[in-house]
Amino acid sequence: MTDDGTAADAARLFSPQRLRLAREARGLTQTGLSRLIGTSAAAVSQFEKADARPSASTVALLAQALSFPAGFFAVGSSPSSRADGDPDTLDGHGHFRSLRSVTAAQRRQALSVTQLVRDMADALSRHVRLPDPAVPLLAAGAGDLAAAEERAATVRRAWGVPPGPVTDVIQVAERHGIVTARQRIPAPTISGYSVPFPERPVVIVGRDGAKRDRDRFSVSHEIGHLVMHEAGSSLASKETEAQANRFASAFLLPADEIRDQLPPVPDWVQLLTLKQRWHVSLSALLRRASDLGVMSDQVYGQAMRTVGARGWRISEPGDLGAPESPRVLALAIETAGAGTASLAAETGWPATLIEEVVAASADSRPALEI
């Protein structure tokens, strides 16, 4: 039951963007929400545009319909309740690993998770010191793949990544101030996405069907977006996606280290050996061989047809073990002695959504007690 006093306070300090954020987090349209609270879609639109302010009783209905605390709808210290949390601005920031068959509603529902993670990080930063953001901003001209190669090498040097395979891509990202989390992504074609928030970037990778090689490429791809592409350049043109893919390839498989190891024809035994060493997919190795001119376009095309025919686009041979796990949020929660209830109280978000992100981001392997 919603507390009347909380609803009244939220009505006085109403945050239009928080209403829209809650609605989109639940995957509802304005019309769908209006039916739940017994008003018109136009009224919901007016609330979200700040053309009208809901009464305390309407805030209570919104809270009940969306299963959000009434206090969530008030302007507070959390970034998502302030003006820079405007969903239109956010929608122009989001970088998605794949946009095929992704609807605007799915994209916005996915982006709501970044705001939750942003608010959690903001609340935790009042109690513990999170790693300072250290993502170099190195813009690359549209379609410039050579620049993507150079940017990847520059980031490896700046971050002190030693030669050879990146041991743990998520850990490297988090050490340099990128807050990473897992969550169920509403569209199966989205494998990861990121938002360059002013205080620190957020990267989300999918929870369902996570694979180590795919996640490593996805996170590297998002690092490429954060490094090369300014906010607003996102909603993934083919050029920016190709650049982020090339950055990921070069970040995980530096040209001067991998070129002589790649076969000019698809030697699957050799490629599986390389997969185990570098922790990338067979498809990524084939693409790298093509990009570096080791494998001809014709041979590469035939190799990828073989990959498709054998069903390896879905499930490759050569299991790499458990996916990498985000650590920063869990460590911050533990160090701060914060629980779900206290985070919910500080951020206004429903405890169930916070629990979902924390649980999805945890290491899936069972712990041994020795």
Side-chain angles (χ1 to χ4, degrees):
M1 188 70 71
T2 301
D3 179 79
D4 291 340
T6 304
D9 289 342
R12 283 192 293 270
L13 298 171
F14 184 69
S15 169
Q17 51 265 28
R18 280 270 199 153
L19 171 57
R20 181 169 169 182
L21 183 57
R23 174 177 63 77
E24 291 176 344
R26 297 306 187 191
L28 287 171
T29 62
Q30 291 178 342
T31 299
L33 177 56
S34 69
R35 288 171 179 161
L36 291 175
I37 65 172
T39 189
S40 66
V44 174
S45 176
Q46 288 177 332
F47 297 152
E48 293 185 359
K49 291 178 179 178
D51 292 336
R53 183 179 296 178
S55 64
S57 60
T58 300
V59 170
L61 289 172
L62 289 168
Q64 183 177 25
L66 294 166
S67 297
F68 267 71
F72 179 83
F73 301 101
V75 173
S77 60
S78 291
S80 70
S81 76
R82 303 193 300 259
D84 62 355
D86 175 53
D88 280 330
T89 303
L90 177 63
D91 199 26
H93 286 187
H95 298 289
F96 286 84
R97 165 95 196 270
S98 171
L99 280 178
R100 292 172 297 176
S101 304
V102 179
T103 66
Q106 288 173 325
R107 187 174 68 246
R108 288 182 178 276
Q109 187 174 13
L111 284 169
S112 69
V113 179
T114 65
Q115 288 280 29
L116 166 56
V117 172
R118 179 192 193 187
D119 286 351
M120 288 174 63
D122 176 76
L124 290 166
S125 70
R126 299 179 204 134
H127 306 282
V128 298
R129 181 176 175 180
L130 302 178
D132 293 328
V135 181
L137 302 178
L138 306 167
D144 190 343
L145 298 181
E149 289 270 349
E150 294 168 5
R151 304 305 188 262
T154 298
V155 173
R156 281 183 68 115
R157 288 194 299 271
W159 286 358
V161 179
V166 182
T167 303
D168 189 317
V169 175
I170 289 180
Q171 186 178 66
V172 168
E174 291 191 321
R175 281 178 176 169
H176 293 89
I178 300 173
V179 178
T180 307
R182 288 191 183 279
Q183 180 61 308
R184 179 183 175 276
I185 297 178
T189 52
I190 302 174
S191 56
Y193 52 99
S194 59
V195 176
F197 289 119
E199 62 280 0
R200 62 184 67 250
V202 170
V203 168
I204 305 294
V205 283
R207 177 196 70 187
D208 300 329
K211 294 182 181 296
R212 189 177 183 88
D213 53 1
R214 183 176 178 83
D215 283 354
R216 283 166 58 84
F217 196 92
S218 290
V219 174
S220 301
H221 176 105
E222 296 308 324
I223 294 171
H225 276 311
L226 295 171
V227 168
M228 297 186 295
H229 302 137
E230 295 181 5
S233 67
S234 57
L235 294 178
S237 67
K238 290 182 179 179
E239 289 80 10
T240 58
E241 286 300 285
Q243 280 183 317
N245 281 336
R246 190 62 167 263
F247 178 99
S249 294
F251 187 76
L252 295 170
L253 301 165
D256 57 353
E257 296 185 55
I258 196 66
R259 183 181 280 108
D260 293 341
Q261 300 178 34
L262 293 166
V265 294
D267 180 330
W268 299 112
V269 173
Q270 183 179 352
L271 288 166
L272 280 167
T273 300
L274 290 174
K275 174 177 179 174
Q276 293 296 323
R277 168 167 166 68
W278 291 90
H279 280 215
V280 298
S281 67
L282 294 176
S283 295
L285 287 163
L286 290 168
R287 182 70 208 187
R288 196 66 173 140
S290 173
D291 287 342
L292 296 177
V294 174
M295 188 175 287
S296 71
D297 291 343
Q298 182 178 0
V299 172
Y300 169 71
Q302 181 57 53
M304 290 307 295
R305 285 191 285 275
T306 300
V307 167
R310 294 180 179 180
W312 290 353
R313 291 182 187 272
I314 298 173
S315 180
E316 286 187 358
D319 181 60
L320 296 177
E324 297 170 358
S325 296
R327 294 176 176 84
V328 162
L329 288 178
L331 285 173
I333 289 169
E334 181 181 353
T335 304
T340 300
S342 63
L343 278 175
E346 282 199 61
T347 63
W349 285 83
T352 52
L353 292 185
I354 293 173
E355 287 172 354
E356 212 174 288
V357 168
V358 172
S361 302
D363 193 328
S364 60
R365 294 171 296 177
L368 292 178
E369 294 187 7
I370 299 176

